[in-house]
Amino acid sequence: QNWGECSNTCGIGLRRREMACVGADGLQHMGCLSAGGGIQVDVELCTGACDVGYHVYVGEWTGCFGPCSGTQETRNVSCIGSDSRLYPLQTCLGAYTSAVESARNCGASRCQDV
């Protein structure tokens, strides 16, 4: 028989097929495949084709507070798939991953001493 569908629609899963031992007379014969009988189940790994769209989420900067020298402000930068899972940023941006900053130094113009 043909292989069944992959058990996972996105990523690695399993698929199976049943194989029967059929003789020249067209009849199924018991005991010719394995000691378990005339039908054998075959299983293999498969990869479901992911139909996922990606979106880059860029959060707001946290702001610079405290002493100005040596501090940084940060923001969340994430790659989110249409399946609501997080993916490596490179999945969304490829070679341009470093173009989106997630941290930057606080300069005198951005600092708010408390």
Side-chain angles (χ1 to χ4, degrees), residues 6-113:
C6 192
S7 64
N8 195 352
T9 57
C10 181
I12 296 175
L14 295 173
R15 65 181 184 171
R16 58 178 269 161
R17 68 178 173 182
E18 292 182 355
M19 297 184 300
C21 186
V22 178
D25 57 3
L27 299 174
Q28 183 175 324
H29 293 273
M30 303 303 274
C32 62
L33 284 176
S34 66
I39 295 181
Q40 180 177 342
V41 175
D42 198 10
V43 178
E44 73 174 5
L45 290 175
C46 59
T47 303
C50 296
D51 188 17
V52 178
Y54 303 101
H55 173 74
V56 176
Y57 168 79
V58 180
E60 297 292 323
W61 290 105
T62 58
C64 294
F65 298 97
C68 292
S69 62
T71 60
Q72 286 191 322
E73 63 178 337
T74 60
R75 66 180 175 182
N76 184 22
V77 180
S78 304
C79 177
I80 302 171
S82 58
D83 58 355
S84 299
R85 293 167 54 182
L86 286 174
Y87 288 87
L89 197 53
Q90 190 171 9
T91 302
C92 286
L93 299 175
Y96 301 101
T97 300
S98 61
V100 180
E101 290 182 305
S102 59
R104 65 183 179 188
N105 291 328
C106 292
S109 63
R110 288 196 298 267
C111 284
Q112 299 176 11
D113 286 322

